[in-house]
């Protein structure tokens, strides 16, 4: 049987695999990208496309901010259908205690070189008149943006191809072992390095990974241009994203370039079917009405679900895997993989060529979970 | 938040066209408590649209029958979502959400026209044939207007006759099928006296209107609205000035609801057994969704489904015999009006295929599948949910249609938010199952 030989094989053509393939091919590696489905057809097609700086932890802040800057650098090259719009994020405080959080956040971002502004109740009402007028205020993060992820993935794959990468779609990887990649159809690849960027399916190929699917729901509306102008997120969102066990919902609405709106978001563990769960859906929507009552009367075109690849410490796995010296991981991006794809790829490429990365790589090294695993 | 209304039936029928009306009356006659839901303002479906107000019409006769049998008719309500495990459908009206429970369900959702893109088809006054007919029924003045009727299928004749009767100058009927295939179809009518009679009546109504086979529109032209069209007839092109082009390429069964409920499809139609039952137990299907077969077959299938859903078997033998005969006609219909491959070459690169999202033919042609195209171009993801461009791309690119996602039609967000609030007991039971 013939073997295809590459410097690097990237498994998964989601936004993360696409970005890794692009980076590696621009380091003059001969790259193959393999996906069982479409380019950008997995979680990448299901997500929201909010390019957001988050401060859940120092490491998360560093990676999201770094990644956001890479998106800003890439922006001039992005084709129109990626729909990059720097609409900014509004973190809405419903009450005074949440307003304290706005102030803390403002300081935190400021100390790390990200300018934000605090909006009073009046200023917020003026910026977003559809919000309930009795909100306490908000934090505006102006550099946050939204994109349309499937087209972004396609664009990044095309860029990799311009640098010589080859894409193989429709082939399922069955096994990765010491530089050898075996597909269920019998095709075999051999590579100096293999990148497991298979998203929630990564543990099927690297069995000791601790990644759990975390289900999310989204609803898209018909076109209502200017109904909301920013990605608007409740501050309580953090509580929702933090909780590691219970099902949770949080208000999160995104204006699309088309004038449509995406309404989110929900988080559920242990739900393995992709069907819409009406109970969660209605909790999520009712949460949204608490912030923007007028959403109730808009017209919904579709509801769907997607799965986030969640790690126990809520940070992605980026870098070498101790059990296989030719294997690199790029997965576990939970609800931030669209944003952090570019930073992930930069960290990975820096590791491969032995360059000093622009942010600390240690918090993301897969060895951290591996050690826990061995000691546990 | 708008209120939620509740109903409960032994047999629920979705669709009040011929199939649904026949199903509802048959089930009620043998004692079932029956409800009918339709999204139109009155019963009648496509064929008897807007006729219920006339003193003597098929639609008003059926309405009277439903009334006397105690069937509850819920019009202006669209089924948008379901919880089939709990035997519930959700319908939206202008003001409320309806939760409708049932023991047995009959899907009689009918068919829609297949529209195919060609340069200029998005110009104002280029319309779906049945769509123009419906607009005239609801008041669009057509008297004295020059109309070309084009595309494929018997519906073109019915529409042409209707428009002419309402004063339109029908310049021509252009049928893409060849004369030969129509001739063998017509000779087949001899074994269907009812159809033959209809055909003869139609012929009389259409007397003097040129009927061209081997003909189809290749381009519509006009500045702000339609002014002229170019027709290809037997391989040569000719230009015709007109005010309206009424255009449709036969029918596509409405299988979306069936598909959402998990009913198996076969060749684009809902698969049913001898009793019109689908692959989902207790869910029946009748009329066009099981295959385009026309009025007579819709009525017979409706009766069978109604009787079977009510748990009875009287008359089923006789009805099955009649169904077999009507199905032969349906097969002839399908063969006669098969779309010719040349129609795939009508759109040019700039022709819009998905009108909701403004996606051109050239952008679609780059993709390998419907899913890929949807993902990358959002084709089919607008308010019509791919009901128009889906069948078109299926024909143009041989793409398989994808799965159907809720809601079935655009739905108020508040209705979606109310769906699970209706029966907490049932639902906690459900989540228990799902986890
Ligand atoms: C509801 C929701 C909202 C979200 N919102 C945002 C947001 O606003 N901002 C943000 O930054 N992130 C968001 N995310 C997260 C983001 O979508 C993901 O983190 C990101 O898409 C992950 O990309 P990926 O490439 O790792 O995975 P995927 O896109 O899932 O790609 C993995 C690919 O691997 C392929 N694959 C898997 N197994 C195999 C195999 N054995 N052989 C071959 N191929 C294989 C799959 O086919 C797939 O294409 C959201 C996620 C959800 C679910
Ligand atoms: C546009 C059009 C015009 C036609 N005109 C003629 C004509 O003039 N003469 C002729 O002989 N034949 C005509 N036909 C063909 C005719 O429809 C069939 O021959 C046959 O009568 C179909 O009957 P049916 O009951 O299966 O479907 P239909 O008559 O199509 O009835 C189905 C009904 O279900 C409703 N429905 C569907 N989904 C839902 C939902 N989710 N919620 C609520 N309600 C729903 C529809 O609105 C419709 O009222 C026409 C077909 C079309 C598509």
């Amino acid at each position: 049987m013939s073997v295809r030989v590459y410097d690097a094989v990237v498994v998964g053509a989601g936004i993360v695999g696409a970005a890794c393939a692009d980076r590696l091919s621009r380091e003059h590696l001969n790259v193959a990208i393999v996906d069982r489905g479409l380019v950008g057809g997995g979680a990448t097609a299901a997500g929201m496309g909010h390019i957001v700086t988050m401060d859940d932890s120092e490491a998360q802040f560093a990676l999201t901010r770094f990644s956001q800057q890479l998106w800003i650098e890439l922006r001039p090259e992005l084709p129109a259908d990626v729909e990059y719009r720097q609409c900014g994020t509004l973190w809405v405080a419903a009450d005074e205690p949440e307003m304290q959080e706005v102030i803390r956040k403002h300081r935190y971002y400021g100390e790390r070189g990200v300018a934000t502004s605090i909006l009073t109740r009046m200023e917020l009402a003026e910026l977003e008149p559809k919000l309930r007028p009795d909100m306490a205020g908000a934090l505006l993060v102006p550099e946050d943006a939204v994109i349309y992820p499937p087209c972004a993935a396609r664009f990044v794959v095309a860029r990799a191809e311009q640098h010589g990468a080859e894409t193989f779609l429709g082939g399922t990887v069955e096994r990765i072992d010491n530089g050898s990649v075996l597909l269920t159809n019998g095709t075999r690849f051999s590579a100096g390095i293999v990148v497991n960027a298979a998203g929630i399916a990564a543990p099927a190929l690297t069995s000791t990974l601790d990644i759990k699917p975390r289900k999310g729901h989204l609803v898209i509306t018909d076109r209502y241009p200017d109904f909301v102008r920013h990605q608007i997120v409740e501050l309580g969102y953090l509580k929702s994203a933090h909780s590691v066990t219970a099902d949770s919902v949080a208000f999160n609405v995104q204006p699309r370039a088309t004038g449509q709106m995406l309404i989110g978001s929900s988080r559920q563990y242990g739900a393995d079917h992709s069907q819409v769960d009406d109970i969660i859906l209605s909790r999520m929507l009712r949460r949204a009405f608490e912030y923007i009552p007028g959403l109730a009367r808009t017209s919904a075109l579709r509801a769907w679900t997607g799965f986030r690849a969640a790690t126990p410490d809520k940070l992605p796995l980026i870098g070498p895997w101790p059990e296989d010296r030719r294997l690199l991981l790029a997965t576990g991006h939970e609800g931030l993989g669209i944003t952090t794809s570019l930073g992930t790829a930069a960290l990975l490429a820096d590791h491969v060529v032995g360059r000093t990365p622009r942010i600390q790589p240690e918090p993301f090294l897969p060895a951290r979970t591996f050690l826990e695993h061995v000691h546990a | 938040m708008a209120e939620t209304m509740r109903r409960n039936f032994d047999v629920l029928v979705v669709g009040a066209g011929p199939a649904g009306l026949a199903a509802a009356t048959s089930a009620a006659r043998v004692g079932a408590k029956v409800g009918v839901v339709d999204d139109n303002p009155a019963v009648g479906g496509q064929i008897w649209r807007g006729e219920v107000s006339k003193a003597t019409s098929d639609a008003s006769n059926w309405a009277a029958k439903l009334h006397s049998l105690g069937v509850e008719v819920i019009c202006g309500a669209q089924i948008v979502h379901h919880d089939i495990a709990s035997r519930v459908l959700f319908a939206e009206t202008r003001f409320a959400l309806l939760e409708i429970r049932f023991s047995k369900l009959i899907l009689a959702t009918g068919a829609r026209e297949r529209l195919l893109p060609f340069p200029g088809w998005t110009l104002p006054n280029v319309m779906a044939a049945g769509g123009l007919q419906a607009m005239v029924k609801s008041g669009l003045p057509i008297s004295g207007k020059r109309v070309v009727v084009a595309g494929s299928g018997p519906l073109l004749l019915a529409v042409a006759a209707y428009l002419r009767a309402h004063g339109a100058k029908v310049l021509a009927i252009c049928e893409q099928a060849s004369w030969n295939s129509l001739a063998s179809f017509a000779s087949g009518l001899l074994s269907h006296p009812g159809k033959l009679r209809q055909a003869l009546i139609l012929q009389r109504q259409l007397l003097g209107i040129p009927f061209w086979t081997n003909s189809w529109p290749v381009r519509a032209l006009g500045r702000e609205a339609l002014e002229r069209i170019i027709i290809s007839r037997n391989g040569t092109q000719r230009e015709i000035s007109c005010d309206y082009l009424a255009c449709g390429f036969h029918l596509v069964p409405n299988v979306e609801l069936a598909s959402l409920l998990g009913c198996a499809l076969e060749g684009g139609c809902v698969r049913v057994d001898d009793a019109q039952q689908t692959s989902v137990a207790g869910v029946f299907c009748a009329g066009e969704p099981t295959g385009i077969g026309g009025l007579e077959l819709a009525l017979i299938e409706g009766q069978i489904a109604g009787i079977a859903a009510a748990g009875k078997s009287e008359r089923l033998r006789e009805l099955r015999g009649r169904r077999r005969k009507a199905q032969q006609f349906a097969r002839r219909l399908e063969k006669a009006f098969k779309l010719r491959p040349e129609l795939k070459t009508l759109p040019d690169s700039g022709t819009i295929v998905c009108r909701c999202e403004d996606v051109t033919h050239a952008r679609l042609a780059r993709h390998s599948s419907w899913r890929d195209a949807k993902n990358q171009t959002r084709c089919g993801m607008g308010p019509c949910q791919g009901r128009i461009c889906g069948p078109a791309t299926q024909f143009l690119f041989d793409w398989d249609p994808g799965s159907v996602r809720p809601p079935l039609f655009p739905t108020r967000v508040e209705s979606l938010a109310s769906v699970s609030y209706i029966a907490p007991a049932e639902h906690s039971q459900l989540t228990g199952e799902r986890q």
Side-chain angles (χ1 to χ4, degrees):
Chain A
M1 171 130 342
S2 76
V3 176
R4 302 172 188 269
V5 182
Y6 289 88
D7 296 333
V9 172
V10 178
V11 180
I15 190 75
V16 173
C20 292
D22 177 38
R23 271 287 175 153
L24 293 175
S25 52
R26 281 186 295 134
E27 302 289 355
H28 308 294
L29 270 72
N30 184 15
V31 178
I33 314 166
V34 186
D35 199 294
R36 63 185 174 196
L38 307 169
V39 169
T44 300
M48 247 189 175
H50 186 199
I51 304 296
V52 55
T53 300
M54 294 274 281
D55 61 349
D56 204 14
S57 62
E58 270 319 321
Q60 189 192 62
F61 184 87
L63 182 62
T64 52
R65 176 61 181 161
F66 171 47
S67 297
Q68 181 178 65
Q69 284 165 324
L70 294 176
W71 278 109
I72 292 171
E73 282 169 29
L74 190 59
R75 185 176 182 175
E77 279 184 56
L78 294 176
D81 64 4
V82 176
E83 295 176 347
Y84 187 104
R85 283 174 72 229
Q86 191 188 317
C87 59
T89 305
L90 278 176
W91 293 94
V92 176
D95 50 26
E96 273 316 309
E98 287 189 355
M99 207 53 202
Q100 292 310 308
E101 173 62 11
V102 161
I103 294 162
R104 187 205 60 79
K105 229 172 152 66
H106 172 69
R107 199 176 311 122
Y108 184 96
Y109 279 60
E111 284 162 5
R112 287 157 188 77
V114 180
T116 64
S117 40
I118 295 176
L119 304 182
T120 63
R121 179 188 309 253
M122 299 272 285
E123 288 164 338
L124 178 61
E126 205 165 299
L127 268 192
E128 292 290 355
K130 292 285 195 297
L131 267 173
R132 228 177 55 195
D134 57 355
M135 294 291 142
L139 184 73
L140 172 63
V141 187
E143 279 192 336
D144 287 354
V146 302
I147 62 168
Y148 181 60
C151 287
R154 189 218 62 234
F155 163 74
V156 178
V157 165
R159 210 166 78 134
E161 287 170 343
Q162 278 161 21
H163 289 87
E166 289 177 67
T167 312
F168 300 87
L169 298 180
T172 301
V173 174
E174 186 181 318
R175 197 149 43 89
I176 302 175
D177 185 16
N178 194 31
S180 141
V181 175
L182 179 69
L183 270 58
T184 50
N185 62 17
T187 311
R188 197 181 278 276
F189 291 83
S190 169
I193 52 170
V194 179
V195 180
N196 182 350
I200 53 160
L205 300 170
T206 307
S207 62
T208 42
L209 288 185
D210 189 0
I211 287 181
K212 290 198 171 61
R214 207 173 183 194
K215 186 174 175 175
H217 285 75
L218 289 177
V219 167
I220 189 160
T221 69
D222 206 342
R223 299 179 184 215
Y224 298 91
D226 228 28
F227 195 96
V228 294
R229 298 153 187 173
H230 304 78
Q231 176 119 12
I232 313 180
V233 192
E234 65 164 287
L235 270 170
Y237 175 84
L238 291 175
K239 295 174 213 146
S240 158
H242 277 181
S243 124
V244 283
T245 50
D247 295 351
S248 62
V249 298
F251 163 63
N252 186 346
V253 65
Q254 175 178 93
R256 305 289 322 157
T258 54
Q260 293 174 295
M261 288 178 283
L262 283 179
I263 309 174
S265 63
S266 69
R267 283 180 151 78
Q268 282 171 284
Y269 281 114
D272 47 9
H273 60 83
S274 62
Q275 265 160 293
V276 167
D277 177 335
D278 291 323
I279 298 170
I280 284 284
L281 184 73
S282 87
R283 272 178 57 197
M284 177 181 103
L285 294 173
R286 279 163 193 255
R287 185 72 182 159
F289 305 159
E290 286 171 25
Y291 286 81
I292 304 186
L295 280 176
R297 288 305 172 111
T298 62
S299 176
L301 299 189
R302 265 184 324 283
W304 70 92
T305 65
F307 290 93
R308 311 172 180 90
T311 60
D313 64 2
K314 289 168 267 148
L315 290 175
L317 304 170
I318 307 167
W321 180 239
E323 284 182 337
D324 178 342
R325 63 189 180 85
R326 291 179 188 271
L327 178 61
L328 301 176
L329 301 181
T331 181
H333 293 79
E334 220 271 352
L336 286 170
I338 307 299
T339 306
T340 54
S341 55
L342 297 188
T344 298
L347 284 176
L348 214 67
D350 289 341
H351 169 79
V352 168
V353 302
R355 195 171 36 217
T356 310
R358 274 161 63 183
I359 62 168
Q360 291 283 325
E362 287 79 10
F364 313 107
L365 290 178
R368 75 183 191 276
T369 62
F370 182 71
L371 290 178
E372 272 166 33
H373 181 77
V374 171
H375 291 262
Chain B
M1 206 104 74
E3 62 174 319
T4 300
M5 284 155 43
R6 296 188 180 93
R7 288 289 184 280
N8 201 336
F9 301 106
D10 298 333
V11 177
L12 172 64
V13 182
V14 181
L21 293 168
T25 46
S26 300
R29 228 175 247 135
V30 292
K33 183 182 173 205
V34 181
V36 186
V37 184
D38 194 287
D39 49 9
N40 289 297
V43 302
Q46 299 286 6
I47 181 169
W48 301 317
R49 176 185 295 276
E51 290 181 7
V52 97
S53 51
K54 294 188 197 155
T56 54
S57 68
D58 289 297
S60 52
N61 291 343
W62 280 102
K65 249 184 257 180
L66 293 174
H67 182 74
S68 68
L69 288 164
V71 173
E72 183 173 353
V73 179
I74 307 170
C75 280
Q78 195 161 48
I79 303 295
V80 291
H81 198 24
H82 74 97
D83 183 349
I84 188 69
S86 312
R87 308 261 128 183
V88 181
L89 289 187
F90 298 100
E92 196 182 62
T93 70
R94 276 185 61 194
F95 307 104
L97 182 70
L98 278 168
E99 175 223 55
I100 314 174
R101 289 177 179 273
F102 53 85
S103 311
K104 298 286 161 51
L105 176 64
I106 301 176
L107 306 175
T109 47
R112 60 184 180 271
E113 291 173 270
R114 182 190 285 106
L115 307 183
L116 294 181
F118 52 88
W121 78 294
T122 52
L123 273 174
N125 297 350
V126 177
M127 304 228 220
L132 180 59
Q133 181 184 30
M135 287 185 69
V136 172
K137 282 184 181 180
S138 53
L140 178 80
I142 198 75
S143 187
K145 298 281 193 246
R146 299 160 305 163
V147 185
V148 173
V149 180
S152 194
L155 177 58
L156 299 185
L157 305 180
V159 169
Y162 181 88
L163 295 176
R164 176 188 239 188
H166 288 76
K169 269 166 67 183
V170 179
L171 304 180
I173 301 170
C174 308
E175 166 61 59
Q176 59 91 36
S178 70
W179 177 247
N180 281 345
S181 60
L182 290 192
S184 64
F185 176 67
S187 66
L189 287 184
L190 293 177
S191 53
H192 298 274
K195 300 278 177 199
L196 189 62
R197 189 160 13 106
Q198 271 175 24
L200 292 175
I201 295 171
L202 260 182
Q203 197 188 25
R204 193 158 359 103
Q205 290 170 337
L206 295 172
L207 218 58
I209 299 178
F211 180 77
W212 298 337
T213 53
N214 264 323
S215 309
W216 58 87
V218 293
R219 186 176 285 276
L221 300 156
R223 278 175 304 262
E224 254 117 65
L226 177 72
E227 292 166 11
R228 293 162 290 140
I229 59 166
I230 298 174
I231 292 288
S232 165
R233 182 186 177 206
N234 293 326
T236 47
Q237 299 198 349
R238 67 165 68 190
E239 205 173 284
I240 306 177
S241 296
C242 58
D243 302 306
Y244 287 99
L245 172 61
C247 192
F249 292 83
H250 207 32
L251 305 178
V252 200
N254 291 328
V255 298
E256 289 74 13
L257 177 55
S259 185
L260 189 67
L261 299 178
C263 304
L265 305 183
E266 206 171 85
C269 301
V270 179
R271 200 180 74 207
V272 289
D273 67 11
D274 214 28
Q276 300 294 135
Q277 186 163 208
T278 69
S279 65
V280 177
V283 179
F284 298 73
C285 186
E288 308 286 49
T290 65
I292 302 302
L295 174 63
E296 200 180 331
L297 183 59
L299 290 170
I300 299 168
E301 289 189 355
Q303 290 177 71
I304 295 176
I307 295 168
K312 296 289 190 316
S313 57
E314 294 106 68
R315 292 190 56 229
L316 283 188
R317 263 180 70 94
E318 177 232 327
L319 285 167
R320 282 185 183 133
R322 286 171 50 201
R323 181 177 58 189
R324 216 165 302 126
K325 190 128 194 253
Q327 279 167 338
Q328 286 167 8
F329 172 77
R331 275 190 289 275
R332 286 219 180 81
L333 200 65
E334 191 185 320
K335 208 165 133 226
F337 295 102
K338 198 171 161 45
L339 297 183
R340 57 174 66 232
E342 290 101 307
L343 299 174
K344 297 188 189 198
T345 63
L346 288 185
D348 60 29
S349 61
T351 305
I352 289 193
V353 177
C354 170
R355 298 177 75 153
C356 299
E357 298 289 326
D358 281 349
V359 185
T360 59
H361 188 268
R363 284 180 64 204
L364 290 175
R366 289 201 282 266
H367 297 285
S368 57
S369 66
W370 174 235
R371 215 190 138 226
D372 190 25
K374 279 174 86 167
N375 240 345
Q376 292 291 328
T377 68
R378 287 202 290 268
C379 175
M381 290 164 82
C384 97
Q385 318 251 34
R387 282 184 173 78
I388 295 169
C389 66
T393 58
Q394 223 173 316
F395 173 69
L396 294 173
F397 304 110
D398 298 315
W399 288 343
D400 286 334
S403 59
V404 180
R405 280 175 171 155
L408 198 58
F409 291 97
T411 302
R412 285 188 304 275
V413 176
E414 66 179 352
S415 295
L416 284 186
S418 297
V419 158
S420 78
Y421 269 65
I422 291 159
E426 215 88 10
H427 276 281
S428 57
Q429 191 191 328
L430 242 186
T431 33
E433 272 170 28
R434 282 178 181 173
Q435 271 164 2

